[in-house]
Amino acid sequence: MSSMIKKEKFLVIGSNSFSGSHFVSELLEKDYKVWGISRSTQPNKLFLPYFWKNTENYSFKNSCENFVFNEFDLNKDMQRIINLIDEIQPEYIVNFASQGMVAESWNNPVHWYKTNVVSQVSLHDALRKRKFLKKYVHVTTPEVYGSTDKGWIKESFDFSPSTPYAVSRASCDLHLMSFFKAYDFPVVFTRAANVFGPGQQLYRIIPRTILSALTGKGMNLHGGGKSERSFIYIKDVADATLDLALNAPAGTSWHISTKEAISIRNLVEKICRMIDVEFDQIVNINEERLGKDLNYLLDSSSLRKEFNWTDKYSLDQGLDLTFNWLKTNLNKFNEMPWEYIHKL
């Protein structure tokens, strides 16, 4: 009888986040033992795909085998986080945690730098001394590049951030590269294009548009939606992230993106047509946000070539799946806030 192979352990920081929770689900489907850390208690199970038992009617599991959640805040509980890491000794740590929301970062820049730089540096300085760590995946953002007005760009550290949020993320990326060069810290960077799918926060453009189209409640479109983005379905991102965590060499960065781009206005119009609602009935045109980048176009050819990866879900398929999640649970979503609420 052959002995069973013991699967390695994963710690997911930011496990309550949209991308983090889907990555936890991906790991559990492949029978990894997973620990999660987020600063807030676990939200409604509608936003936690690892609890989803049936996505036709969104029935839920009562508990998740092989997953242990910890409510720790990077800014307040660093020693407890390090103690947990020393206790479980995960071979892989994947970090989705950051203070997000670009527009809000102008109003509270100190919060963004504290979470996205100072606390992250404290974490990394402890992790570099842990010899059991095989790989640290830092989930960062295309916003570090600024607007990619010259077309689809390859991976680089040639940054031109235009907002406090983007500056904070770029600073952390550069700090991690210095640790890789000085200490051989096993960091791998991922930058995904605009990720979407079931479970996303309701204030994001795709769920917000679908909710408005379903209910007739108005929504704001900053700058008329002229900016251009490449939207990628969350399952494709989770699949690529796991492959990179297990196999990408330390010190490398990777783009996870589709090959298609669409303006925000055209995206909103597409959703309106899908639900048979007139664009002008639900959309209010507002001024553009401060520091808004026109394009984020990421060339993902390296990931496709080196890992034989491809995105499996088209934009239309992803929109249909997201629509089903929102439509099925519309009564519950009508009782929730649809706008961003800043947490200290």
Side-chain angles (χ1 to χ4, degrees):
M1 181 186 297
S2 61
S3 60
M4 291 186 66
I5 298 174
K6 183 180 178 182
K7 287 226 174 184
E8 292 150 312
K9 293 168 284 190
F10 275 80
L11 173 68
V12 178
I13 304 176
S15 61
N16 282 351
S17 68
F18 170 55
S19 294
S21 62
H22 273 275
F23 186 65
V24 169
S25 182
E26 179 84 6
L27 291 172
L28 294 176
E29 286 175 8
K30 292 178 169 56
D31 296 322
Y32 285 98
K33 180 70 174 176
V34 187
W35 284 258
I37 290 175
S38 275
R39 66 176 179 170
S40 303
T41 189
Q42 288 174 301
N44 189 302
K45 290 179 181 179
L46 281 169
F47 297 94
L48 296 174
Y50 50 82
F51 275 116
W52 298 349
K53 184 168 62 176
N54 186 325
T55 54
E56 291 299 317
N57 59 13
Y58 284 90
S59 57
F60 304 116
K61 309 171 191 173
N62 292 324
S63 61
C64 290
E65 188 178 354
N66 289 336
F67 180 62
V68 180
F69 174 73
N70 300 268
E71 186 179 336
F72 293 152
D73 188 328
L74 282 174
N75 294 326
K76 301 173 183 176
D77 301 309
M78 185 59 65
Q79 191 54 56
R80 297 173 73 187
I81 292 171
I82 299 304
N83 291 345
L84 175 68
I85 290 170
D86 285 339
E87 176 186 344
I88 64 178
Q89 297 194 9
E91 289 87 355
Y92 298 93
I93 295 178
V94 183
N95 189 354
F96 293 88
S98 74
Q99 187 75 58
M101 289 306 292
V102 177
E104 189 71 24
S105 71
W106 289 104
N107 299 329
N108 296 284
V110 172
H111 298 168
W112 268 251
Y113 290 114
K114 183 176 181 182
T115 301
N116 296 350
V117 183
V118 176
S119 292
Q120 298 279 357
V121 171
S122 178
L123 173 68
H124 302 149
D125 197 41
L127 291 182
R128 71 177 177 83
K129 304 167 188 174
R130 271 59 186 179
K131 301 303 181 185
F132 52 78
L133 184 63
K134 287 186 177 180
K135 197 74 60 63
Y136 172 80
V137 179
H138 194 68
V139 179
T140 179
T141 173
E143 302 215 20
V144 297
Y145 297 126
S147 188
T148 61
D149 298 332
K150 295 182 180 179
W152 300 82
I153 63 168
K154 298 282 289 181
E155 294 88 345
S156 78
F157 286 85
D158 184 15
F159 297 155
S160 183
S162 57
T163 66
Y165 166 72
V167 171
S168 72
R169 303 306 307 275
S171 299
C172 191
D173 290 5
L174 293 172
H175 136 74
L176 277 166
M177 274 305 290
S178 75
F179 269 30
F180 166 70
K181 293 173 181 176
Y183 305 120
D184 291 324
F185 186 62
V187 60
V188 166
F189 301 88
T190 68
R191 297 187 180 94
N194 286 54
V195 185
F196 77 100
Q200 192 169 31
Q201 303 94 332
L202 302 182
Y203 54 80
R204 296 295 187 181
I205 185 64
I206 287 176
R208 185 66 175 83
T209 303
I210 293 173
L211 286 171
S212 289
L214 286 172
T215 64
K217 183 178 178 180
M219 59 173 285
N220 296 323
L221 190 60
H222 295 283
K226 291 180 288 187
S227 58
E228 192 176 31
R229 299 290 184 266
S230 179
F231 287 85
I232 184 167
Y233 191 65
I234 182 59
K235 287 284 286 182
D236 285 330
V237 177
D239 173 68
T241 303
L242 179 55
D243 206 356
L244 292 169
L246 295 173
N247 300 307
T252 56
S253 65
W254 303 86
H255 290 166
I256 307 172
S257 176
T258 70
K259 297 179 179 180
E260 307 295 329
I262 187 172
S263 73
I264 301 299
R265 183 184 178 103
N266 286 344
L267 173 70
V268 172
E269 289 176 340
K270 174 189 277 286
I271 293 171
C272 287
R273 289 193 301 271
M274 183 177 82
I275 304 176
D276 195 21
V277 172
E278 292 295 326
F279 176 88
D280 293 335
Q281 287 182 338
I282 63 168
V283 175
N284 305 308
I285 304 298
N286 285 44
E287 291 184 1
E288 189 59 276
R289 297 200 312 260
L290 182 63
K292 181 71 173 288
D293 295 320
L294 186 60
N295 305 87
Y296 297 134
L297 303 177
L298 304 181
D299 183 336
S300 57
S301 57
S302 294
L303 177 65
R304 296 172 186 275
K305 179 181 178 181
E306 297 299 324
F307 291 91
N308 197 30
W309 175 86
T310 185
D311 46 315
K312 298 179 177 68
Y313 294 84
S314 69
L315 176 58
D316 286 344
Q317 288 172 319
L319 289 175
D320 284 342
L321 291 165
T322 307
F323 171 81
N324 178 61
W325 170 68
L326 291 160
K327 175 69 172 177
T328 302
N329 302 288
L330 185 59
N331 289 340
K332 295 176 183 177
F333 292 135
N334 274 328
E335 298 173 356
M336 300 178 186
W338 295 359
E339 308 302 330
Y340 172 75
I341 299 174
H342 182 57
K343 300 175 186 176
L344 295 176

